[in-house]
Amino acid sequence: MKGRIEGRNSRKTMSRVLIILAAAAVVLRIVYVNTVQYPTQPSRTYTLNETVLFRDFEITITDYTIYTGSQLQELFDLTDSSYVDETEIVLAMHVRYIGDESKRLDVTSFALEYDYISGGNINPILFNYFNADLSGLNFEAGEEKDILLPYPLNGENPQLVISLYPQKLMIKI
């Protein structure tokens, strides 16, 4: 009977050691990948009228305007106000494409941030109203466009986050 108990204890001990070794291997692999293979770079923060290089696009936020929901309803003669926030900030963005082949700029991946708290994504309905004359977000080599980006204004000191990886690129508004 004593031999059975000792056998069970040694199997339990061996199982625990194997689990600990497997967990340690996983943790070491995660640390290795994050520090050696894909090291992060410090955030880069820009200000108004500074140009950010992002995937062959030179992006500059030149100005901003703050609107109340009632001002936007009046401006665009909106009957349905369900997609208009109490306060919206509209960023004036100038984009120049410096690549060789035609490319699309995805502004839906941009977001506002307030002191590390997400402030939300672009308002797609208002985007279409503000950019009614825009022919699209496809760019040819050397092409430049002015785009208005409407976001809900939820706090103070907003920053437009252009990219999170491999380097966080932000523009202070």
Side-chain angles (χ1 to χ4, degrees), residues 129-163:
Y129 277 110
F130 276 107
N131 297 288
D133 296 335
L134 189 64
S135 60
L137 295 175
N138 292 322
F139 287 79
E140 299 298 325
E143 188 174 4
E144 297 184 36
K145 294 183 183 183
D146 291 313
I147 304 167
L148 296 173
L149 304 174
Y151 290 93
L153 185 60
N154 297 326
E156 296 179 7
N157 306 317
Q159 301 177 99
L160 181 65
V161 178
I162 303 290
S163 172

Short mmCIF file of all heavy atoms in Angstrom, two decimals, residues 129-163:
data_model
loop_
_atom_site.label_atom_id
_atom_site.label_comp_id
_atom_site.label_asym_id
_atom_site.label_seq_id
_atom_site.Cartn_x
_atom_site.Cartn_y
_atom_site.Cartn_z
N TYR A 129 -21.18 63.64 -45.18
CA TYR A 129 -21.70 65.01 -45.32
C TYR A 129 -20.57 66.03 -45.49
O TYR A 129 -20.63 66.90 -46.35
CB TYR A 129 -22.55 65.41 -44.11
CG TYR A 129 -23.97 64.90 -44.18
CD1 TYR A 129 -24.41 63.89 -43.34
CD2 TYR A 129 -24.88 65.45 -45.09
CE1 TYR A 129 -25.72 63.43 -43.39
CE2 TYR A 129 -26.19 64.99 -45.14
CZ TYR A 129 -26.61 63.98 -44.29
OH TYR A 129 -27.89 63.54 -44.36
N PHE A 130 -19.55 65.92 -44.65
CA PHE A 130 -18.45 66.89 -44.72
C PHE A 130 -17.59 66.73 -45.97
O PHE A 130 -16.95 67.67 -46.41
CB PHE A 130 -17.56 66.78 -43.48
CG PHE A 130 -18.06 67.55 -42.30
CD1 PHE A 130 -18.61 66.89 -41.22
CD2 PHE A 130 -17.99 68.93 -42.27
CE1 PHE A 130 -19.08 67.60 -40.13
CE2 PHE A 130 -18.46 69.65 -41.19
CZ PHE A 130 -19.00 68.98 -40.11
N ASN A 131 -17.55 65.53 -46.53
CA ASN A 131 -16.69 65.25 -47.68
C ASN A 131 -17.50 64.88 -48.92
O ASN A 131 -17.09 64.03 -49.70
CB ASN A 131 -15.71 64.13 -47.33
CG ASN A 131 -14.79 64.51 -46.20
OD1 ASN A 131 -13.91 65.33 -46.38
ND2 ASN A 131 -15.03 63.95 -45.02
N ALA A 132 -18.64 65.54 -49.11
CA ALA A 132 -19.53 65.22 -50.24
C ALA A 132 -18.83 65.40 -51.58
O ALA A 132 -19.10 64.67 -52.53
CB ALA A 132 -20.78 66.10 -50.16
N ASP A 133 -17.89 66.35 -51.67
CA ASP A 133 -17.20 66.60 -52.93
C ASP A 133 -15.96 65.75 -53.12
O ASP A 133 -15.31 65.81 -54.16
CB ASP A 133 -16.79 68.09 -53.01
CG ASP A 133 -18.01 68.99 -53.03
OD1 ASP A 133 -19.09 68.54 -53.44
OD2 ASP A 133 -17.87 70.17 -52.62
N LEU A 134 -15.61 64.96 -52.13
CA LEU A 134 -14.41 64.12 -52.19
C LEU A 134 -14.65 62.96 -53.15
O LEU A 134 -15.66 62.26 -53.06
CB LEU A 134 -14.07 63.60 -50.79
CG LEU A 134 -12.75 62.88 -50.60
CD1 LEU A 134 -11.59 63.83 -50.85
CD2 LEU A 134 -12.66 62.31 -49.20
N SER A 135 -13.73 62.74 -54.06
CA SER A 135 -13.89 61.70 -55.07
C SER A 135 -13.54 60.31 -54.56
O SER A 135 -13.63 59.34 -55.29
CB SER A 135 -13.04 62.03 -56.30
OG SER A 135 -11.68 62.10 -55.92
N GLY A 136 -13.12 60.20 -53.33
CA GLY A 136 -12.76 58.91 -52.75
C GLY A 136 -11.44 59.01 -52.02
O GLY A 136 -10.79 60.05 -52.02
N LEU A 137 -11.04 57.92 -51.44
CA LEU A 137 -9.79 57.90 -50.68
C LEU A 137 -8.71 57.11 -51.38
O LEU A 137 -7.75 56.67 -50.76
CB LEU A 137 -10.04 57.37 -49.27
CG LEU A 137 -10.96 58.26 -48.41
CD1 LEU A 137 -11.25 57.59 -47.08
CD2 LEU A 137 -10.33 59.62 -48.20
N ASN A 138 -8.87 56.90 -52.68
CA ASN A 138 -7.82 56.27 -53.49
C ASN A 138 -6.89 57.37 -53.99
O ASN A 138 -7.35 58.42 -54.45
CB ASN A 138 -8.41 55.50 -54.67
CG ASN A 138 -9.18 54.29 -54.20
OD1 ASN A 138 -8.78 53.62 -53.26
ND2 ASN A 138 -10.29 54.02 -54.85
N PHE A 139 -5.60 57.11 -53.91
CA PHE A 139 -4.60 58.11 -54.29
C PHE A 139 -3.71 57.56 -55.39
O PHE A 139 -3.34 56.40 -55.37
CB PHE A 139 -3.72 58.47 -53.08
CG PHE A 139 -4.41 59.30 -52.05
CD1 PHE A 139 -5.27 58.74 -51.13
CD2 PHE A 139 -4.16 60.67 -51.98
CE1 PHE A 139 -5.90 59.51 -50.16
CE2 PHE A 139 -4.78 61.45 -51.02
CZ PHE A 139 -5.65 60.88 -50.12
N GLU A 140 -3.36 58.44 -56.31
CA GLU A 140 -2.36 58.15 -57.33
C GLU A 140 -1.05 58.79 -56.88
O GLU A 140 -1.05 59.64 -55.99
CB GLU A 140 -2.79 58.70 -58.69
CG GLU A 140 -4.08 58.10 -59.22
CD GLU A 140 -4.00 56.61 -59.47
OE1 GLU A 140 -2.92 56.11 -59.87
OE2 GLU A 140 -5.03 55.93 -59.27
N ALA A 141 0.06 58.42 -57.49
CA ALA A 141 1.37 58.97 -57.12
C ALA A 141 1.35 60.49 -57.15
O ALA A 141 0.92 61.10 -58.12
CB ALA A 141 2.44 58.44 -58.06
N GLY A 142 1.77 61.11 -56.05
CA GLY A 142 1.87 62.57 -55.96
C GLY A 142 0.56 63.29 -55.70
O GLY A 142 0.54 64.50 -55.57
N GLU A 143 -0.54 62.57 -55.61
CA GLU A 143 -1.84 63.21 -55.43
C GLU A 143 -2.01 63.73 -54.00
O GLU A 143 -1.53 63.13 -53.04
CB GLU A 143 -2.96 62.21 -55.74
CG GLU A 143 -4.33 62.83 -55.77
CD GLU A 143 -5.42 61.86 -56.22
OE1 GLU A 143 -5.12 60.66 -56.45
OE2 GLU A 143 -6.56 62.29 -56.33
N GLU A 144 -2.71 64.87 -53.87
CA GLU A 144 -2.98 65.49 -52.58
C GLU A 144 -4.48 65.71 -52.43
O GLU A 144 -5.15 66.02 -53.41
CB GLU A 144 -2.25 66.83 -52.46
CG GLU A 144 -0.75 66.70 -52.52
CD GLU A 144 -0.03 68.04 -52.31
OE1 GLU A 144 -0.52 68.86 -51.52
OE2 GLU A 144 1.01 68.23 -52.95
N LYS A 145 -4.97 65.55 -51.20
CA LYS A 145 -6.39 65.78 -50.92
C LYS A 145 -6.54 66.40 -49.54
O LYS A 145 -5.75 66.14 -48.63
CB LYS A 145 -7.18 64.46 -50.96
CG LYS A 145 -7.25 63.81 -52.31
CD LYS A 145 -8.10 62.57 -52.29
CE LYS A 145 -8.09 61.91 -53.68
NZ LYS A 145 -8.95 60.74 -53.73
N ASP A 146 -7.60 67.20 -49.41
CA ASP A 146 -8.00 67.74 -48.11
C ASP A 146 -9.25 66.98 -47.67
O ASP A 146 -10.22 66.88 -48.43
CB ASP A 146 -8.28 69.24 -48.21
CG ASP A 146 -7.00 70.03 -48.45
OD1 ASP A 146 -6.01 69.76 -47.74
OD2 ASP A 146 -6.99 70.90 -49.34
N ILE A 147 -9.21 66.46 -46.45
CA ILE A 147 -10.27 65.61 -45.93
C ILE A 147 -10.69 66.14 -44.56
O ILE A 147 -9.84 66.55 -43.77
CB ILE A 147 -9.78 64.14 -45.80
CG1 ILE A 147 -9.27 63.64 -47.16
CG2 ILE A 147 -10.88 63.24 -45.27
CD1 ILE A 147 -8.49 62.34 -47.07
N LEU A 148 -11.99 66.11 -44.28
CA LEU A 148 -12.50 66.51 -42.97
C LEU A 148 -12.91 65.25 -42.20
O LEU A 148 -13.67 64.41 -42.71
CB LEU A 148 -13.69 67.46 -43.13
CG LEU A 148 -13.35 68.78 -43.80
CD1 LEU A 148 -14.62 69.58 -44.07
CD2 LEU A 148 -12.39 69.59 -42.95
N LEU A 149 -12.40 65.12 -40.98
CA LEU A 149 -12.65 63.94 -40.15
C LEU A 149 -13.49 64.31 -38.93
O LEU A 149 -13.00 64.96 -38.01
CB LEU A 149 -11.32 63.34 -39.67
CG LEU A 149 -10.30 62.95 -40.73
CD1 LEU A 149 -9.01 62.52 -40.07
CD2 LEU A 149 -10.85 61.85 -41.60
N PRO A 150 -14.78 63.92 -38.89
CA PRO A 150 -15.62 64.23 -37.73
C PRO A 150 -15.56 63.11 -36.67
O PRO A 150 -15.69 61.93 -36.98
CB PRO A 150 -17.02 64.32 -38.33
CG PRO A 150 -16.96 63.40 -39.52
CD PRO A 150 -15.55 63.41 -40.01
N TYR A 151 -15.34 63.53 -35.43
CA TYR A 151 -15.30 62.59 -34.30
C TYR A 151 -16.16 63.14 -33.17
O TYR A 151 -16.27 64.36 -33.00
CB TYR A 151 -13.87 62.46 -33.76
CG TYR A 151 -12.93 61.73 -34.67
CD1 TYR A 151 -12.16 62.42 -35.59
CD2 TYR A 151 -12.81 60.36 -34.61
CE1 TYR A 151 -11.28 61.76 -36.43
CE2 TYR A 151 -11.94 59.68 -35.44
CZ TYR A 151 -11.18 60.39 -36.35
OH TYR A 151 -10.33 59.73 -37.18
N PRO A 152 -16.73 62.26 -32.34
CA PRO A 152 -17.40 62.75 -31.14
C PRO A 152 -16.37 63.34 -30.19
O PRO A 152 -15.29 62.78 -30.02
CB PRO A 152 -18.06 61.51 -30.55
CG PRO A 152 -17.49 60.35 -31.26
CD PRO A 152 -16.82 60.82 -32.49
N LEU A 153 -16.67 64.48 -29.60
CA LEU A 153 -15.77 65.12 -28.66
C LEU A 153 -16.20 64.72 -27.26
O LEU A 153 -17.25 65.14 -26.77
CB LEU A 153 -15.79 66.64 -28.83
CG LEU A 153 -14.81 67.44 -27.98
CD1 LEU A 153 -13.38 67.03 -28.30
CD2 LEU A 153 -14.99 68.93 -28.22
N ASN A 154 -15.38 63.90 -26.59
CA ASN A 154 -15.74 63.33 -25.30
C ASN A 154 -14.85 63.77 -24.15
O ASN A 154 -14.96 63.22 -23.06
CB ASN A 154 -15.70 61.80 -25.37
CG ASN A 154 -16.71 61.25 -26.35
OD1 ASN A 154 -17.77 61.81 -26.51
ND2 ASN A 154 -16.37 60.18 -27.02
N GLY A 155 -13.93 64.66 -24.38
CA GLY A 155 -13.03 65.05 -23.30
C GLY A 155 -12.11 66.18 -23.73
O GLY A 155 -12.29 66.78 -24.78
N GLU A 156 -11.12 66.41 -22.88
CA GLU A 156 -10.15 67.46 -23.16
C GLU A 156 -8.85 66.86 -23.68
O GLU A 156 -8.57 65.69 -23.46
CB GLU A 156 -9.87 68.25 -21.89
CG GLU A 156 -11.09 69.01 -21.38
CD GLU A 156 -10.80 69.77 -20.10
OE1 GLU A 156 -9.63 69.83 -19.69
OE2 GLU A 156 -11.76 70.30 -19.53
N ASN A 157 -8.07 67.67 -24.36
CA ASN A 157 -6.76 67.28 -24.89
C ASN A 157 -6.83 66.07 -25.83
O ASN A 157 -6.14 65.07 -25.61
CB ASN A 157 -5.77 67.00 -23.75
CG ASN A 157 -5.66 68.16 -22.79
OD1 ASN A 157 -5.60 69.30 -23.21
ND2 ASN A 157 -5.67 67.85 -21.51
N PRO A 158 -7.64 66.14 -26.87
CA PRO A 158 -7.72 65.00 -27.78
C PRO A 158 -6.44 64.82 -28.60
O PRO A 158 -5.73 65.78 -28.88
CB PRO A 158 -8.90 65.35 -28.68
CG PRO A 158 -8.98 66.83 -28.65
CD PRO A 158 -8.49 67.25 -27.30
N GLN A 159 -6.18 63.57 -28.94
CA GLN A 159 -5.06 63.21 -29.80
C GLN A 159 -5.59 62.27 -30.87
O GLN A 159 -6.31 61.32 -30.54
CB GLN A 159 -3.96 62.51 -29.01
CG GLN A 159 -3.40 63.34 -27.89
CD GLN A 159 -2.37 62.56 -27.10
OE1 GLN A 159 -1.20 62.72 -27.33
NE2 GLN A 159 -2.80 61.72 -26.19
N LEU A 160 -5.23 62.50 -32.11
CA LEU A 160 -5.62 61.61 -33.19
C LEU A 160 -4.57 60.51 -33.28
O LEU A 160 -3.39 60.79 -33.50
CB LEU A 160 -5.71 62.36 -34.51
CG LEU A 160 -6.13 61.51 -35.71
CD1 LEU A 160 -7.56 61.01 -35.54
CD2 LEU A 160 -5.99 62.29 -37.00
N VAL A 161 -4.99 59.27 -33.09
CA VAL A 161 -4.08 58.13 -33.19
C VAL A 161 -4.13 57.62 -34.63
O VAL A 161 -5.15 57.17 -35.11
CB VAL A 161 -4.47 57.01 -32.20
CG1 VAL A 161 -3.55 55.81 -32.35
CG2 VAL A 161 -4.46 57.52 -30.77
N ILE A 162 -2.98 57.73 -35.29
CA ILE A 162 -2.86 57.32 -36.70
C ILE A 162 -2.51 55.84 -36.79
O ILE A 162 -3.01 55.12 -37.64
CB ILE A 162 -1.76 58.16 -37.41
CG1 ILE A 162 -2.06 59.65 -37.32
CG2 ILE A 162 -1.56 57.71 -38.84
CD1 ILE A 162 -3.22 60.11 -38.13
N SER A 163 -1.62 55.39 -35.91
CA SER A 163 -1.13 54.01 -35.96
C SER A 163 -0.77 53.55 -34.56
O SER A 163 -0.31 54.34 -33.74
CB SER A 163 0.10 53.95 -36.87
OG SER A 163 0.70 52.69 -36.80
#
